[in-house]
């Protein structure tokens, strides 16, 4: 589904990603772990198409196509979803109506009829229930005045409504209380299916107790230094990252 | 010489002394309108164009008392309910003398934001509304005043008094002939009795060849409140001055405004709020969206007098530049003569927020849609306070309706709720 080959990315004259290779197949859940500033968000952002990053080498294929040629919105319409590490507040723009516009833009792109207000509200209520989002949040401005944890939950709610093919969750677990973590994990697990794939960026094993990953990567210094299975995450939790660096000769 | 003639001559003399404001005056340094105004100064207002051909009839769905002015002359008006006395200025002046004449026409050169054009209005105003709302009378429907500029100069002058605990919403809608150049130079004065509540909306949508000068003066008695919205969408040059005096305890005012400019439009807002008594509250939010080579000026002056303890005042001016050739000059001026006050102010000039733009695109909006949505949302924060809702919707359509995806975008706004 997603194939990243020798990806080099520069931000403002600084090389951040220095040759990432990563393949995610349909049905898989990958976890990316790594120290602060190692480039995890950079990688997620580049996949989602955030402006400001220069790809100096390498390529990203999504469903066999050159992803880097698509605008951010085209990527959404093609099924990519990024849950932001820091969701943005947009006062004055309604949470639900924004989502409706997004869902319908995607449906138009797919040649499907748009959802009318009733069908959409049914979908929204169902998904809000799934992630136990208080319906009052639906009526509010996008993330406006939401607490840190509420913003993260809203991201998962949006993901549930948009039903992406490839979901990138950038530290969605950070700042969540224990109940919220369970709920978010439940939302993610509900979405798991043989046709979908997920990439979870996280610092904590805790999330992976709820969402068992198929593959775990360690990203440090702009490279993937080690790849393993769920056991690797547990090892990182107890031993930190230094040994991975040493093993990789850095 | 009658009292009226004498007052007119005095006003004319004051105007002659001050002239059209020039950029050497601090408050006019960005706004040199001498050349564009000149053709309309010496030229007397044309005789009332009795036929109302071409006068539009907007906001038809608004349930309101309607009054229409053409080139500064009253041509048509509904009857207002008991307790509201409405007279035309022309009629009042025809028989007024002494005190009333001087109340309506005297020029006070020490008034805040005074300039030559204020005197010119007093000298040349041929008509306006003189309204007295009796104590305790709440006028349920808004008073909608359409000012149509057909050709030449108009100097409408409205003198409005609200008795104790009276309420009135006044909507002044300025429109003009697309083909004609012209000048509007209007003055509206509001006197609010104790506990009175007034709403004032200036919706300025004049044609691109017209100059709009508007002045709102308000004097507020104890615990009265004023909400003012000044919306500048049209005109080649527009200048709105608002001078609000909180003369007695616990008076409140909210002055909000939006200017939405493109091409070479210029819009200028100067406000002055004088806190003259304790426990006054003032709130101000002006926002601007500028495209092309548009130019805007915002100057918000707050004066807190020595005795005006426990004053609570906040002023914000935010500007969104959609083009790198658009320009804004924004300046708060605070003059505070006592320590026991809370005054906050802030001004920003910037572009659309890149993070917000990306967030919207990452939820499936096209770039263009995302840009328009953020622009709308920014402007709509001002419009959200306009009542009644028909007027707000009208302004939203006037402001954004020309954009290709206006309907879709309005449906995503938080409070318009166009979709729901
Ligand atoms: N716009 C930018 N300008 C300059 N440097 C940037 C920019 N964006 C990212 N960086 C730098 O790139 C590096 C990688 O950042 P990134 O956000 O990808 O790290 P991360 O692995 O997600 O870290 P964290 O675990 O703290 O979220 C950091 O050193 C960061 O300072
Ligand atoms: Mg990060």
């Amino acid at each position: 589904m997603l194939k990243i080959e020798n990806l080099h990315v520069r931000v403002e004259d600084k090389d951040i990603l220095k040759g990432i290779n990563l393949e995610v197949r349909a049905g898989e859940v990958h976890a990316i772990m790594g120290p602060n500033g190692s480039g995890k968000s950079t990688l997620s952002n580049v996949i989602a198409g955030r402006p400001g990053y220069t790809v100096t080498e390498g390529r990203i294929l999504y469903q066999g196509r050159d992803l880097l040629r698509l605008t951010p919105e085209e990527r959404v319409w093609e099924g990519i979803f990024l849950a932001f590490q820091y969701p943005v507040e947009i006062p004055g723009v309604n949470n639900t109506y924004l989502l409706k516009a997004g869902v319908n833009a995607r449906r138009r792109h797919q040649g499907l009829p748009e959802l009318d207000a009733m069908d959409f509200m049914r979908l929204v209520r169902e998904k809000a229930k799934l992630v136990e989002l208080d319906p009052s949040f639906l009526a509010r401005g996008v993330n406006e005045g939401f607490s840190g944890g509420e913003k993260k939950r809203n991201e998962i709610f949006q993901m549930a409504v948009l039903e992406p093919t490839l979901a990138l969750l950038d530290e969605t677990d950070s700042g969540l209380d224990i109940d919220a973590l369970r709920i978010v994990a439940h939302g993610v697990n509900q979405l798991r299916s043989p046709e979908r794939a997920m990439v979870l960026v996280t610092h904590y094993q805790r999330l992976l107790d709820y969402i068992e990953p198929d593959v775990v990567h360690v990203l440090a210094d702009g490279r993937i230094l080690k790849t393993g299975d769920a056991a690797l995450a547990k090892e990182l939790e107890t031993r930190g990252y230094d040994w991975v660096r040493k093993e990789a000769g850095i | 010489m009658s009292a009226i003639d004498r007052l007119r001559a005095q006003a004319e003399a004051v105007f002659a002394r001050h002239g059209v404001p020039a950029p050497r005056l601090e408050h006019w340094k960005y706004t040199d309108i001498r050349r564009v105004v000149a053709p309309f100064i010496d030229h007397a207002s044309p005789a009332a164009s009795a036929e109302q051909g071409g006068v539009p009839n907007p906001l038809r769905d608004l349930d309101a008392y309607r009054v229409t002015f053409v080139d500064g002359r009253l041509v048509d008006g509904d009857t207002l309910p008991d307790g509201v006395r409405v007279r035309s200025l022309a009629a009042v002046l025809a028989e007024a003398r002494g005190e009333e004449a001087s109340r309506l026409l005297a020029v006070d050169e020490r008034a805040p934001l005074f300039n030559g054009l204020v005197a010119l209005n007093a000298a040349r105003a041929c008509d306006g509304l003189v309204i007295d709302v009796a104590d305790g009378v709440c006028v349920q429907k808004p008073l909608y005043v359409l000012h149509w500029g057909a050709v030449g100069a108009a100097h409408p002058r409205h003198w409005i008094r609200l008795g104790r605990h009276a309420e009135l919403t006044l909507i002044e809608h300025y429109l003009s002939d697309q083909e004609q150049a012209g000048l509007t130079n209007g003055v509206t004065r509001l006197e609010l009795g104790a506990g009175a509540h007034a709403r004032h909306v200036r919706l300025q949508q004049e044609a691109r060849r017209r100059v709009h000068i508007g002045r709102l003066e308000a004097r507020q008695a104890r615990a009265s409140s004023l909400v003012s919205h000044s919306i500048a969408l049209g005109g080649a040059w527009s200048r709105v001055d608002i001078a609000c005096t909180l003369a007695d305890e616990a008076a409140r005012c909210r002055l909000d405004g939006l200017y939405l400019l493109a091409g070479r439009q210029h819009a200028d807002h100067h406000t002055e709020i004088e806190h003259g008594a304790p426990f006054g509250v003032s709130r101000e939010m002006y926002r601007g969206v500028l495209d092309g080579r548009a130019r805007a000026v915002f100057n918000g002056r707050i004066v807190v007098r020595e005795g005006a303890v426990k004053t609570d005042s906040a002023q914000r001016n935010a500007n969104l530049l959609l083009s790198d050739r658009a320009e804004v000059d924004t300046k708060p001026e605070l003059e505070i003569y006592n320590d026991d006050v809370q005054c906050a102010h802030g001004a920003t000039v910037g572009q659309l927020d890149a993070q917000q733009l990306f967030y919207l695109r990452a939820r499936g909006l096209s770039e263009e849609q995302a840009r328009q949505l953020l622009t709308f949302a920014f402007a709509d924060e001002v419009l959200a306070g306009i009542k009644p809702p028909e007027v707000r919707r009208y302004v939203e359509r006037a402001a954004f309706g020309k954009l290709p995806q206006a309907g879709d975008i309005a449906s995503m706004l938080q409070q318009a709720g166009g979709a729901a």
Side-chain angles (χ1 to χ4, degrees):
Chain A
M1 175 176 296
L2 181 74
K3 197 163 186 211
I4 301 178
E5 297 172 355
N6 190 33
L7 186 72
H8 287 67
V9 172
R10 181 175 291 173
V11 183
E12 292 179 0
D13 295 333
K14 192 175 158 203
D15 291 315
I16 310 289
L17 300 183
K18 304 165 189 166
I20 300 276
N21 291 291
L22 177 67
E23 181 163 5
V24 180
R25 286 185 206 79
E28 290 179 347
V29 172
H30 288 231
I32 297 182
M33 305 182 79
N36 293 130
S38 57
K40 303 180 299 297
S41 292
T42 303
L43 179 62
S44 320
N45 286 333
V46 169
I47 298 171
R50 187 181 205 125
Y53 298 90
T54 315
V55 174
T56 52
E57 239 186 289
R59 59 176 189 164
I60 305 179
L61 297 178
Y62 172 66
Q63 295 177 333
R65 295 171 59 197
D66 180 1
L67 185 68
L68 297 175
R69 297 172 69 104
L70 302 184
T71 65
E73 55 272 27
E74 285 167 340
R75 297 180 201 199
V76 176
W77 302 339
E78 293 289 341
I80 292 180
F81 179 89
L82 169 65
F84 285 64
Q85 182 173 3
Y86 303 110
V88 185
E89 297 199 18
I90 312 182
V93 174
N94 179 278
N95 212 12
T96 308
Y97 298 140
L98 165 64
L99 211 44
K100 178 163 179 251
V103 165
N104 279 333
R106 184 169 176 212
R107 290 180 68 92
R108 277 196 301 275
H109 180 78
Q110 295 169 324
L112 297 171
E114 294 185 19
L115 293 184
D116 64 22
M118 284 244 287
D119 288 340
F120 180 75
M121 286 318 291
R122 201 172 299 127
L123 175 71
V124 156
R125 265 186 232 112
E126 175 201 325
K127 300 299 186 183
K129 208 167 185 180
L130 178 73
V131 300
E132 297 178 34
L133 185 80
D134 186 320
S136 70
F137 285 84
L138 300 174
R140 284 166 67 173
V142 177
N143 293 320
E144 191 179 355
F146 290 21
S147 76
E150 289 163 352
K151 285 180 185 166
K152 295 300 180 77
R153 206 186 289 201
N154 193 37
E155 295 290 290
I156 295 306
F157 162 67
Q158 294 179 334
M159 179 182 81
V161 172
L162 282 162
E163 302 186 319
T165 310
L166 172 66
L168 311 162
L169 274 59
D170 191 357
E171 293 199 28
T172 303
D173 53 332
S174 299
L176 290 184
D177 65 37
I178 294 167
D179 286 337
L181 185 72
R182 182 183 46 74
I183 290 159
V184 161
H186 178 62
V188 171
N189 284 329
Q190 284 280 316
L191 207 68
R192 267 179 106 153
S193 83
E195 302 84 49
R196 296 202 174 103
M198 280 178 217
V199 177
L200 313 174
V201 173
T202 181
H203 286 294
Y204 308 106
Q205 167 60 33
R206 218 174 45 156
L207 177 71
L208 305 179
D209 289 340
Y210 292 100
I211 311 170
E212 172 113 1
D214 300 298
V215 188
V216 175
H217 308 274
V218 178
L219 201 165
D221 308 309
R223 285 187 206 95
I224 289 182
L225 297 188
K226 196 173 178 66
T227 295
D229 58 14
L232 175 59
K234 296 204 172 78
E235 194 171 358
L236 292 169
E237 179 97 332
T238 50
R239 295 179 64 193
Y241 293 112
D242 275 353
W243 65 277
V244 183
R245 280 208 177 94
K246 282 206 191 85
E247 224 180 72
I250 293 176
Chain B
M1 215 190 219
S2 74
I4 302 296
D5 293 338
R6 207 164 34 247
L7 287 159
R8 295 279 205 192
Q10 277 167 8
E12 200 70 60
V14 174
F15 171 67
R17 206 162 60 243
H18 289 264
V20 175
R24 70 186 147 72
L25 299 172
E26 175 63 21
H27 281 171
W28 290 80
K29 69 176 174 195
Y30 303 110
T31 314
D32 189 355
I33 55 164
R34 288 172 301 174
R35 192 180 46 79
V36 291
V37 161
F40 307 104
I41 296 297
D42 295 322
H43 142 339
S45 301
S49 37
E51 33 96 31
Q52 288 180 52
V55 181
N57 182 18
L59 268 156
R60 253 160 294 193
D61 61 336
L62 176 68
D63 187 16
Y65 303 105
R66 285 165 190 271
V67 177
T68 304
F69 283 78
V70 174
D71 293 333
R73 285 171 202 274
L74 180 76
V75 295
D76 194 14
D78 288 344
T79 309
L80 271 83
D82 286 351
V84 189
R85 185 172 185 217
V86 181
R87 295 170 293 166
S88 96
L89 178 71
V92 177
L93 292 181
E95 52 198 49
R97 47 189 61 81
E99 222 172 276
E100 179 151 50
S102 121
R103 178 173 82 88
L104 296 172
L105 285 185
V107 173
D108 177 7
E109 292 177 64
R110 286 158 314 169
L113 299 170
F114 175 83
N115 61 72
L117 294 166
V118 182
L120 185 70
N121 172 280
R124 310 275 175 95
C126 49
D127 215 342
L129 295 173
V130 180
I131 300 177
D132 288 275
V133 183
D135 289 353
V137 172
C138 300
V139 186
Q140 298 294 336
K141 294 197 255 178
L143 174 58
Y144 170 79
V145 181
L146 173 65
H147 291 272
W148 174 246
V151 62
H155 302 275
R157 188 172 177 87
H158 304 309
W159 244 236
I160 296 161
R161 272 200 301 216
L162 269 62
R164 299 168 63 89
H165 300 283
E167 285 184 25
L168 177 71
T169 295
L170 172 64
I171 297 153
E172 292 195 62
H173 193 180
Y174 288 88
L175 291 167
S176 77
D177 190 304
Q178 291 300 323
E179 304 302 319
Q180 302 290 335
L183 167 68
T184 299
N185 177 38
V187 175
T188 298
R189 183 172 171 87
L190 292 172
E191 282 170 28
L192 273 60
H197 175 56
R199 286 184 161 265
H200 181 264
V201 179
R202 173 190 307 273
L203 174 52
Q204 189 273 105
Q205 282 183 287
E206 293 188 335
R208 289 290 175 94
R209 299 185 56 201
R210 206 170 162 98
V211 179
H212 180 94
I213 309 288
R215 176 181 172 88
L216 176 68
E217 289 174 16
R219 190 173 174 82
Q220 298 189 230
R222 188 189 188 85
S224 63
S225 72
L226 167 68
V227 178
S228 146
H229 284 91
S230 174
I231 312 297
L233 305 179
W237 291 82
S238 69
R239 161 91 183 205
V240 173
D241 286 353
I242 300 180
C244 183
T245 304
L246 306 183
D248 204 349
E249 280 187 24
R252 321 166 66 95
C253 71
R254 164 174 282 284
L255 308 183
D256 287 354
L258 174 69
Y259 35 96
L260 217 68
L261 311 170
R264 287 173 172 273
Q265 279 181 296
H266 178 119
D268 195 327
H269 277 94
H270 282 236
T271 65
E272 179 164 337
I273 299 171
E274 182 183 348
H275 283 269
F279 300 106
V281 179
S282 63
R283 290 286 178 271
E284 223 175 340
M285 172 168 64
Y286 271 80
R287 291 197 165 188
V289 179
L290 287 83
D291 205 347
R293 308 179 68 161
R295 180 101 198 247
V297 181
F298 175 79
N299 185 296
R301 193 171 133 100
I302 313 261
V303 181
V304 183
R305 297 287 173 214
E306 201 178 338
V309 293
K310 309 287 179 198
T311 286
D312 173 3
S313 164
Q315 174 191 85
R316 280 177 298 147
N317 173 233
N319 297 278
L320 191 54
L321 302 185
L322 302 180
S323 134
D324 49 16
R325 292 195 298 178
E327 232 180 293
V328 176
D329 290 284
T330 170
K331 186 167 150 211
E333 277 183 61
L334 270 62
E335 244 181 72
I336 302 173
Y337 298 102
N338 82 64
D339 294 333
D340 193 6
V341 300
Q342 264 197 327
C343 282
H345 62 93
T348 58
V349 179
Q351 281 87 39
L352 289 174
D353 183 284
Q355 308 225 29
Q356 293 181 338
L357 265 179
F358 177 63
Y359 191 88
L360 293 176
R361 297 177 76 190
R363 295 298 171 258
L365 298 199
S366 72
E367 181 177 8
E368 189 51 30
Q369 232 182 349
R371 284 186 183 282
Q372 292 183 12
L373 176 58
L374 289 178
T375 308
F376 274 37
F378 174 79
D380 209 49
E381 220 164 298
V382 172
L383 305 184
I386 296 182
K387 283 182 195 162
E390 293 87 345
V391 176
R392 175 188 172 184
R393 279 198 295 275
Y394 178 87
V395 178
E396 284 174 340
R397 275 198 300 274
F400 310 125
K402 287 177 215 110
L403 294 171
Q405 305 178 33
D408 282 0
I409 286 172
S411 73
M412 283 179 266
L413 292 180
Q414 181 58 286
Q415 297 159 70

